[in-house]
Amino acid sequence: MPIVMSNVDHSRLVPLIAEALSRRSGDLLDALDEMVTDATVVPPTEVPADLVTMNSEVLVETPGGQARPVRLVYAAPHPANEEGVVSVFSPMGAALLGARVGMTVPLATGRKDRRVHVTELLYQPERSGDWDR
């Protein structure tokens, strides 16, 4: 089933994925490309309020039962990973994009038991009218 995505996120992700694919390939990148290509694209005003979009801040529960907030971003922060920031090009980031509150999503890590549960959407740009974020 295709994910729902705002036209803003879609227009930003398509060239980033194409650039990444021109340099390398891999299962995660190919899956992300397919997911974005097949997405149902809607205006920001039509994005469901419980949908994880780019720059959303979400509370996830890990398999060990630990809850932690994460923010879904286009690329990893530099110079080092910032705590709680997850790139859409990572297994967790790709899994969270298009997920909805209440879903448990598998991570593309090669291990069957790696999943996170989307507990709460703390912030969503579309819901807040921050479409330029």
Side-chain angles (χ1 to χ4, degrees), residues 30-55:
D30 293 339
L32 183 61
D33 181 46
E34 184 176 329
M35 184 170 58
V36 170
T37 299
D38 294 344
T40 301
V41 180
V42 299
T45 55
E46 294 180 22
V47 169
D50 66 340
L51 183 77
V52 179
T53 62
M54 294 305 303
N55 293 309

Side-chain angles (χ1 to χ4, degrees), residues 35-97:
M35 184 170 58
V36 170
T37 299
D38 294 344
T40 301
V41 180
V42 299
T45 55
E46 294 180 22
V47 169
D50 66 340
L51 183 77
V52 179
T53 62
M54 294 305 303
N55 293 309
S56 288
E57 294 175 15
V58 61
L59 190 63
V60 297
E61 186 176 314
T62 61
Q66 179 184 9
R68 69 177 207 165
V70 296
R71 182 167 50 104
L72 182 61
V73 299
Y74 290 97
H78 296 284
N81 286 339
E82 183 180 320
E83 183 66 30
V85 176
V86 176
S87 169
V88 71
F89 292 99
S90 71
M92 183 182 289
L96 288 175
L97 181 64

